[in-house]
Amino acid sequence: MSNNKSQFSAVGKRIPKLDAAQKAMGRAEYIQDIKLPEMLYGRILYSKFANANIVKIDTSKAIALPGVHAVLTGEDVPEKMKMGFIKDNPPLKKGRVSCFRDEVAAVAAISPEIAKKALDLIEIEYEELEGIFDPEKAMEKDSPLVHEHLKSNVLKMPWNIHYGDVEKAEKESAFVVEDRFTTTWVTHCCLGTSGAVALFDASENLTIYTNTQIPSLAQKDFLEALKSMGLENKRVRVIKPIIGGGFGSKLDTYAYEHIAILLAHKCRKPVKIVFDRAEEFKATSTRQPTVIYIKQGCDKTGKLTFRDMRMVLDNGGHTSWGATTPSVMLMPISSLYTVENVKYNAKCVYTNNTYSQAMRGYGNPQATFAIESSMDILAEKAGINRIEFRKINKNHSGDETPQGLKITTCGLAECIEAVEKELKFDGKNEKGIGTGIASLIHVGGGARIYGSDGCGAMLKMDDYGKVDIFTGGTDMGQGLDNITAQIVAEELGLLVEDINVVHSDTDICPWDVGAHASRSTFVAGNAALGAAKKVKKKIQAFASKLFDVPADQVELKGKLVLVPGDPEKSMAIGKLLRKAHFSAGGTMLMAEHFYDPDNQNMGKELKGNMSMTYSFGAHGAKVKVDEETGKIEVLEYVAAHDVGRAINPLLLEGQVYGGVVMGLGYALSEEVVHKNGENMNANFRDYKLFTAKDAVKIKAPIIETDDKDGPFGAKGIGEPGCVPTAPAIANAIYDAVGVRIFDLPITPEKVLAALKEKKSATTKI
Amino acid sequence: MRLPRFKYSGPETLEQALDLLNTHKDDAKILAGGTDLLVRMKKGLLKPKVLISLKALNELSYIKKQDGYIKIGARTPLADIIASDLIQKEARALFQACEKIGAITIQHFRGTIGGNILQDNRCHHYNQSDFHRSGRQACHKDGGKICYAREEADRCNSTCQSDGATALMALDASLILAKKGAKRTVDLADFYTTDGIIPHAMESHELLREIIIPLNGAQSSYQRLAYRSAIDYPIVCAGVLLKHSSKNEIEEARIVVGAMSRSPLFLAQVSSSLKGKKLNDTIAFKKAADASMDSSAAFAVHNVGATLEYRCAMVSQMVFQALEQAAKCIKG
């Protein structure tokens, strides 16, 4: 733990979320609350089949319904208007539907009820085709094609790397284990459902209110959309309302946004589309499901010799971020624990299932489930204690991993120790009770996925010592507003209440690549800090003249500008600011800073130091297995993370608790149930998200390694909380009753079936 | 999803409510907490023209001991039943069942015992939004001719997932149904039609008024299995009643298995097989539990999200646990 915490006035303080009171009182304005004059309501009609030709669409009855202003189909979408990073997904489908959630028509009407009625009046004739639902089958040479203009269902992706020599290392290994794991579709379940309000001004410039984690990139996407509509050189303004949760679900731009834009343009009125909960479940993208084949080996002393992993990813009917999760999965595959020889191949395969996008962890939870389960299996084969095994292979500060990740601060050892301290790993538990451990590595200092990993901040001070800071960052409930305010308050010696964080509008706020990769505290934090530092210099320069001392002797503390040790040379900051402003040649103090971390894009071999620093963690779980019903009870859970520095321990704990509960649901109960591509559990009763009663008591030790590149030493913590939960649980279950589950979620049925199999196997002997 | 339009009536007395029911009959539905009715209306599964609210009918909310019976008003909140000393001691299965229904907020602010008994049967093919159902042929319960849960089935196979009904059937409860100017008593066991589409033998102008549980010195227990600790319906459940003689022998047993069929299943044969057995006869309990599984397996279909195999296997678990628990209460 850092020993100079007491010197901070704002950083390190447990300050409740700045908009908490608003939200609790029901006064926060979400997309659901936005109402504009003359606004129309849009609704989307989805496909009735997983795979079908659209033979005929008759919208005449819908258009004729009083109150309906527009009805659109795939025919009305400009040819070049496509979504997804490979641009294979038009917002309304023409000619063919490739999954149940495909959008086939949309209406805008004066009320939501009339919009729904209009949808019912649209007549579509489909020619149903046989659906393809198994990605491993879809990969085969003679498989029918999901998209007939392509030669294969397998996407052309660069996910094929080999560092070192895995074959040689395998031959030289003393112990090798090989297993198959699967993870399935789960979904974000944000408190606030998706929605957007689009409107054009008299010059056909677009303003769009939308829940987005990528305001600047969305702006770019929408400019392209306008271009495809024949609207060149227009402006796009993206405004974010208060967002009821993101978790990665808002990192792309979506059909409902493009459709709102098309409808708004056609109707010459604002159009609002908001999802109901069933729609949210069915029509938003899930976490990327995986089929994972993993082989790992170690030498006699327990040092890992190689890791060979192969994956098949169900890409669904169209492409979103799911197909890029291998770029992040490569991080734990090559760099969780030290292993020199790494091979990784991932195939993304089109099917007629739903398609996936970013979700908290972005592939890391999936890969870590396989790696950390396999580590326990390998440790057992090698006859080495599973904690010892991890310590033997732990990452160190100063390492450069096979992928080229440069490890700076590394608190992995301390995290493992923190878990050991809380839970017993000596194997002497009561019957049916067991403990498990799993670690994580994640990017903690940004992630250079695009050409820029930057964020801009602009800061201005008023005449009273209050600050407005305009940041490109996004708060979606995770607390970027607090972090920004605390960092600025700390640097300028102000109170957090004095800082107004504005992050809502691309007309006002600078560019940011997006709230992903747990980068907000690190990157947006550094941008804010940089701007605050610049303003501080200006204040120091002015005070230097005023107090007649060198500028570097001036300090900002407790809303004062002062020279320590000289009580005469002290002035309330507001007074100083007014002096600066209301005099001949007056000035107001403002500054801007664009921070782009010194990390690297991955090159051809997908090598490069993707992030400036990495966050580490270790989770430990103690479970009780009911051998009659197969039900798992989580008795204790410890989640220790190396966060560099906790800017706000209260919010940090919130991130950890939330991440752990999300991870436990992922491990034990959550699953989007599909029957031939159709979502069967589009509600909270049938989708088994953990309820408040299922949540467990979580201990969250905070390890501070004070990273020199992070703002006040901080690294990212947004995602790590849900990364190693599944293997920690799987390992604990194995410790408890000797069965291992390889397929998530670990349901009572699977545990019971495994117990039965074990029993019959042992009785056979 | 939005509610379809309806007319709302708020009668102040039972008489008024029965009058309204008599007038509107099939066009009306009773609204108590609405946790079943309103959800189904939002999914477009039914569209009553009139909702008759029981909000003001406090006269239907009571728990009392009278003439050797526990009498519970149909509109009694689940929280009241859970808090009742009388029910905890003398009708323990009902207490245990209500404790598990929904979540604490539902138990306090919405859930009623009448509502729980009268909830419609469920099936994960049927309980979908109207858009989902519009993409395929209608099933029996939805006015069509096929069943998605059991291929080629000529009748509906939806499941009764009521915790309350299972426990009450074990307790040998009866119901008082009222209509304008009259009332009748019916054994809970006879209240079920075993028809998945219209599971309750009740006229559209009748209202459930009271639940009666005989007090006969027996002990009871209710066990249920669900994935989560709140909100979930039971995957499978069991209610057990044990009446013992002075010789610590079982005089009468009632074993009811719920969430497996169109109604809770009172297993008469298995129950009578326990007559004369000792309260600590674990082997007899195990046998009865396995026999319960065999008897109820025939009725189950894959329609509540859990695999058939698991549900059937767990019948045995739930019945066994309930028997052990009830026996323990007697000894304790």
Side-chain angles (χ1 to χ4, degrees), chain A residues 292-311:
Chain A
I292 303 174
Y293 297 90
I294 176 172
K295 219 192 307 187
Q296 282 193 112
C298 67
D299 65 19
K300 270 197 312 230
T301 68
K303 266 222 108 295
L304 288 171
T305 46
F306 77 98
R307 188 178 284 151
D308 182 352
M309 289 178 73
R310 179 173 69 86
M311 290 188 191

Side-chain angles (χ1 to χ4, degrees), chain A residues 504-536:
Chain A
S504 49
D505 189 340
T506 54
D507 263 10
I508 303 168
C509 301
W511 196 92
D512 175 53
V513 74
H516 58 237
S518 306
R519 66 187 281 281
S520 298
T521 294
F522 189 89
V523 183
N526 269 330
L529 183 59
K533 282 192 154 105
K534 285 176 178 168
V535 164
K536 182 173 179 178

Side-chain angles (χ1 to χ4, degrees), chain A residues 43 45-49 100 112-113 116 120 276-278 282 626 628-631 669 675 678-691 693-694 747-749 752 756, chain B residues 1-2 5 35 39 43 99 102 106 122 124-125 127-136 148 225-233 235 304-307 310 313-314 317-318 321:
Chain A
R43 265 203 91 118
L45 183 66
Y46 299 95
S47 168
K48 291 207 161 118
F49 298 98
F100 265 101
E113 289 88 5
K116 177 156 193 306
D120 291 338
D276 61 36
R277 185 53 68 175
K282 293 192 188 210
D626 182 333
E628 307 293 339
T629 62
K631 285 192 79 172
S669 60
K675 182 172 166 238
E678 190 169 18
N679 184 321
M680 296 298 288
N681 58 346
N683 60 72
F684 286 118
R685 170 160 285 137
D686 300 315
Y687 180 84
K688 306 296 181 190
L689 187 73
F690 263 37
T691 66
K693 253 191 145 180
D694 299 300
T747 59
E749 286 98 318
L752 208 62
K756 250 201 191 139
Chain B
M1 283 173 291
R2 311 186 88 88
R5 289 194 183 278
T35 64
V39 174
K43 288 197 155 106
E99 253 197 331
I106 293 173
R122 305 176 55 80
H124 68 221
H125 296 284
N127 288 75
Q128 297 282 358
S129 65
D130 50 12
F131 179 75
H132 180 117
R133 287 175 292 116
S134 71
R136 56 167 206 218
Y148 290 97
L225 184 72
Y227 288 113
R228 296 180 293 184
S229 309
I231 301 178
D232 283 353
Y233 282 104
I235 299 169
V304 295
T307 61
Y310 185 62
M314 291 300 104
Q317 257 313 104
M318 292 301 110
Q321 280 176 18

